[in-house]
Amino acid sequence: MKRIKVLGSGCRNCEITAKVISQAAAEAGIEIELEKVTDIAEIMGYGVMSTPGVVVDGVVVHSGGVPGPELARAWVQG
Protein backbone atom coordinates (compact mmCIF):
# COMPACT_ATOMS: atom_id res chain seq x y z
CA MET A 1 0.00 0.00 0.00
CA LYS A 2 1.30 3.44 -0.94
CA ARG A 3 1.71 5.92 1.88
CA ILE A 4 1.12 9.44 0.65
CA LYS A 5 1.39 12.65 2.64
CA VAL A 6 0.10 16.04 1.59
CA LEU A 7 2.21 18.72 3.25
CA GLY A 8 0.67 22.13 3.87
CA SER A 9 -1.18 24.45 6.18
CA GLY A 10 -4.60 23.11 5.26
CA CYS A 11 -5.18 25.79 2.65
CA ARG A 12 -7.48 25.36 -0.34
CA ASN A 13 -4.69 24.12 -2.62
CA CYS A 14 -3.69 21.52 -0.03
CA GLU A 15 -7.27 20.28 0.19
CA ILE A 16 -7.56 20.13 -3.61
CA THR A 17 -4.27 18.21 -3.80
CA ALA A 18 -5.52 15.61 -1.32
CA LYS A 19 -8.76 15.28 -3.27
CA VAL A 20 -6.94 14.83 -6.61
CA ILE A 21 -4.79 12.06 -5.11
CA SER A 22 -7.77 10.32 -3.48
CA GLN A 23 -9.72 10.46 -6.72
CA ALA A 24 -6.80 9.06 -8.74
CA ALA A 25 -6.47 6.14 -6.31
CA ALA A 26 -10.21 5.45 -6.39
CA GLU A 27 -10.32 5.51 -10.20
CA ALA A 28 -7.35 3.12 -10.35
CA GLY A 29 -8.86 0.83 -7.71
CA ILE A 30 -5.74 1.19 -5.59
CA GLU A 31 -5.83 1.47 -1.82
CA ILE A 32 -3.61 4.18 -0.37
CA GLU A 33 -2.93 5.64 3.05
CA LEU A 34 -3.36 9.42 2.76
CA GLU A 35 -2.19 11.72 5.54
CA LYS A 36 -2.39 15.49 5.73
CA VAL A 37 0.60 17.04 7.49
CA THR A 38 0.11 20.58 8.79
CA ASP A 39 2.99 20.78 11.29
CA ILE A 40 5.44 23.35 9.93
CA ALA A 41 8.46 21.68 11.56
CA GLU A 42 7.60 18.34 9.94
CA ILE A 43 7.04 20.01 6.56
CA MET A 44 10.41 21.79 6.83
CA GLY A 45 11.98 18.44 7.77
CA TYR A 46 11.16 17.25 4.25
CA GLY A 47 12.85 20.36 2.82
CA VAL A 48 9.59 21.62 1.32
CA MET A 49 9.59 25.40 1.10
CA SER A 50 6.49 25.84 -1.04
CA THR A 51 3.21 24.04 -0.35
CA PRO A 52 1.38 21.94 -1.09
CA GLY A 53 4.02 19.26 -1.04
CA VAL A 54 3.49 15.57 -1.73
CA VAL A 55 5.51 12.72 -0.21
CA VAL A 56 5.12 9.19 -1.57
CA ASP A 57 6.62 6.39 0.53
CA GLY A 58 8.98 8.83 2.24
CA VAL A 59 10.18 10.62 -0.91
CA VAL A 60 9.19 14.19 -1.81
CA VAL A 61 7.76 14.01 -5.33
CA HIS A 62 6.11 17.43 -5.65
CA SER A 63 5.90 20.88 -4.12
CA GLY A 64 4.56 24.31 -4.89
CA GLY A 65 1.22 23.79 -6.58
CA VAL A 66 -1.75 21.59 -7.24
CA PRO A 67 -0.70 18.51 -9.23
CA GLY A 68 -2.65 17.43 -12.29
CA PRO A 69 -4.64 14.19 -12.40
CA GLU A 70 -2.04 12.47 -14.61
CA LEU A 71 0.71 13.12 -12.08
CA ALA A 72 -1.45 11.86 -9.20
CA ARG A 73 -2.27 8.68 -11.17
CA ALA A 74 1.44 8.06 -11.71
CA TRP A 75 2.08 8.38 -7.96
CA VAL A 76 -0.63 5.93 -6.91
CA GLN A 77 0.19 3.42 -9.64
CA GLY A 78 3.97 3.76 -9.54
Side-chain angles (χ1 to χ4, degrees):
M1 175 186 313
K2 294 268 182 196
R3 293 181 178 203
I4 301 176
K5 296 182 181 185
V6 175
L7 312 177
S9 63
C11 66
R12 180 163 156 58
N13 283 347
C14 298
E15 294 298 325
I16 292 170
T17 298
K19 190 172 186 172
V20 167
I21 293 168
S22 293
Q23 186 172 347
E27 288 173 0
I30 296 171
E31 190 175 336
I32 63 168
E33 180 183 313
L34 183 63
E35 178 184 350
K36 296 177 189 174
V37 177
T38 58
D39 181 68
I40 297 301
E42 188 173 349
I43 293 169
M44 295 298 284
Y46 283 104
V48 171
M49 302 302 275
S50 182
T51 62
V54 179
V55 178
V56 178
D57 293 332
V59 178
V60 176
V61 294
H62 181 81
S63 69
V66 176
E70 303 81 24
L71 195 51
R73 276 193 291 275
W75 294 332
V76 299
Q77 293 174 347

